[in-house]
Structures are given as C-alpha cells and as structure tokens.
Amino acid sequence: MVPHGEGSEEAMVVQDENRKPISSILIVIAMQTEAMPVVNKFQLEEDLDPVFPKGVPWVRYHGIYKDLHINLVWPGKDLTLGVDSVGTISASLVTYAAIQALQPDLIINAGTAGGFKVKGACISDVFLVSDVAFHDRRIPIPVFDLYGVGLRQSFSTPNLLKELNLKAGKLSTGDSLDMSPQDEKSIVANDATVKDMEGAAVAYVADLFKVPAIFIKAVTDIVDGDKPTPEEFLQNLAAVTAALDLAVAQVVDFISGKCLSEL
C-alpha cells in the first residue's frame, strides 16, 4: 500500500504504475444500506454472471463513469440469518476475491464508523483515513503483539485531502460494535479518531497484493458520548449514509483522469 524503497526493480515498477492514469477502482462496502446510494449515484449494474465462486452471497455492481471502470462489492446477506455480513472475515474474503478477479488500480473502502469526540469527531463528519490498525487482536508476545495490531498506512493522497477538505484521522478496527475496556485501551494506543469493523482487514488484503487503498469513513455515533452506540448508530445511519455517498462521489470525481501520483 505504500511504495517500497527507491532503487529496487519493484520500486521502479511501482513508480511506473503511479504515473499511469487510474482506469479501474474497486469500492468495498460492508452494508447494503451504505452501498446502494453509491450504486444508484453511478448507475452501476448488478453482475448477472458473477465473478465470485458459486454459492457465496457476495454481490458485485459495475459500470463506467467518465474514464473509470467502477466495481463495487459488498459481502451480501448472511445465508442463515439474512443480515449484512459485516466484520473482518467477510471483508477480507470479498476483498481478496475481488482483487483476484478484477485487478483494480485502487481500492476505496467506504463505510460508516463510530467516532471519538475527544479526538474531534462529530456526527456526519467524513474522514479520510491515514492509518489503520486492529484493536481486538491482543497477542502479548514480542513481535506477535505488533502483528496483532497490524498497523498499516493508507495510500497517501495529500491533494485529495486538501481539495475536498475532508478531515484526516486514524482508524481502528474490531469485530464488535460495542467497546470493551480492553478494546478502549488498544484504540487509545492506536491513536484512533474513528473505529469500524472492516477497514484494517481490507488494508491487510490490499497490502498482500500491493494494491493502493484509501479509506473513507463517515461518523454515525459518538463512541465516548452519552447515547448507547446501537441506538445512535441506527438513528443516524440514513443521514450519515447520505454524507458518505456525497464524499465517495467527490472522491471518484477527483480520481477521474488522474494518476496515483497525483492523488
């Protein structure tokens, strides 16, 4: 996700890739409610001949917008319970399969998140994430502890951040909507402004394949606020999804016609 050191053959390949116009983007979104406004915005069509293995619930929408081929994937509904397949496992799997099948130039992981007022987050704020890490993979053994945190940097996009006037912050990921005292300590250690249930998993897979990835997160609930997280999340989901949709549209517009190095 971050270019390797200069001088190596791999670094030269990365530099060449960074100078080519971006032609294919992959948008990874966890929930149908978050995905459909983006699908409608860009008039994407559902894939009727799925590129994914038979039997999985993963859904792909695709289309052309300006000079970009857009693929949007979400993990679909749980086959047993019928709810959105949120969390790190589903996010990892669908991201892996989508990279293999679609070979994107850039990944955008967009979604809602909890925010921390102590770090300046407010409801409907949209953050362009600088760093991602896990907060619930605690392995208190030297080096394994760092592996558990899994800190990764998103692809650097200073021009995008400045042009769209988005807020910047660090993201912490875990598989629970609520926050245990142990999670809280890890989130503080991660210096996170927002927390979600997918970002660090997407970052891990993107890094495996050296696909640049950026993360756009809109705040639905204030984790260190007065309202219970589930109640505040559901109350604000529709309105915040609209803010997320607008931000994603602005990001895609900015990306169109540019090289990675221009972001």
Side-chain angles (χ1 to χ4, degrees):
M1 290 166 61
V2 247
H4 290 256
E6 295 182 4
S8 69
E9 184 177 340
E10 186 175 359
M12 292 171 65
V13 171
V14 169
Q15 288 173 7
D16 288 341
E17 289 295 318
N18 285 354
R19 294 191 185 102
K20 293 194 315 188
I22 298 166
S23 63
S24 174
I25 60 174
L26 170 65
I27 303 174
V28 180
I29 297 184
M31 299 180 69
Q32 187 175 27
T33 303
E34 300 166 338
M36 292 315 296
V38 180
V39 168
N40 295 332
K41 171 73 176 178
F42 295 110
Q43 299 181 334
L44 305 179
E45 296 181 357
E46 186 170 353
D47 186 3
L48 299 180
D49 184 20
V51 297
F52 298 135
K54 185 177 179 180
V56 299
W58 311 332
V59 182
R60 169 191 172 230
Y61 294 91
H62 62 100
I64 303 294
Y65 177 74
K66 295 184 177 180
D67 52 359
L68 290 172
H69 187 182
I70 300 176
N71 287 285
L72 183 149
V73 298
W74 69 287
K77 300 286 186 179
D78 180 82
L79 296 175
T80 302
L81 300 174
V83 296
D84 292 289
S85 299
V86 300
T88 60
I89 294 175
S90 292
S92 298
L93 289 170
V94 77
T95 302
Y96 172 86
I99 290 174
Q100 289 292 289
L102 305 170
Q103 299 293 307
D105 297 323
L106 176 70
I107 293 172
I108 301 173
N109 174 221
T112 55
F116 293 87
K117 65 180 181 181
V118 70
K119 300 291 287 185
C122 301
I123 300 295
S124 291
D125 277 351
V126 180
F127 284 87
L128 189 62
V129 171
S130 59
D131 302 82
V132 292
F134 292 98
H135 57 251
D136 60 353
R137 301 201 314 180
R138 291 176 289 274
I139 313 173
I141 301 171
V143 186
F144 279 97
D145 55 352
L146 299 178
Y147 166 78
V149 173
L151 176 64
R152 281 168 175 79
Q153 291 181 318
S154 64
F155 187 75
S156 180
T157 56
N159 297 326
L160 174 62
L161 182 66
K162 182 179 179 181
E163 178 71 21
L164 300 187
N165 198 29
L166 296 172
K167 290 192 172 185
K170 297 179 181 180
L171 171 67
S172 195
T173 296
D175 268 308
S176 297
L177 184 65
D178 64 2
M179 181 176 66
S180 71
Q182 285 177 304
D183 288 346
E184 185 175 10
K185 289 180 181 178
S186 298
I187 290 168
V188 170
N190 289 341
D191 192 29
T193 301
V194 286
K195 67 180 281 285
D196 79 342
M197 297 174 65
E198 290 85 22
V202 173
Y204 171 76
V205 179
D207 193 35
L208 279 179
F209 295 102
K210 303 307 174 194
V211 182
I214 63 175
F215 303 82
I216 306 167
K217 300 294 172 175
V219 177
T220 51
D221 54 279
I222 302 302
V223 184
D224 53 347
D226 301 325
K227 294 183 179 180
T229 292
E231 175 186 316
E232 194 170 28
F233 170 78
L234 293 173
Q235 176 185 331
N236 295 319
L237 181 59
V240 173
T241 295
L244 177 67
D245 170 42
L246 176 61
V248 171
Q250 291 174 331
V251 168
V252 172
D253 270 322
F254 183 83
I255 289 170
S256 177
K258 291 184 174 63
C259 308
L260 288 169
S261 59
E262 296 176 301
L263 299 184

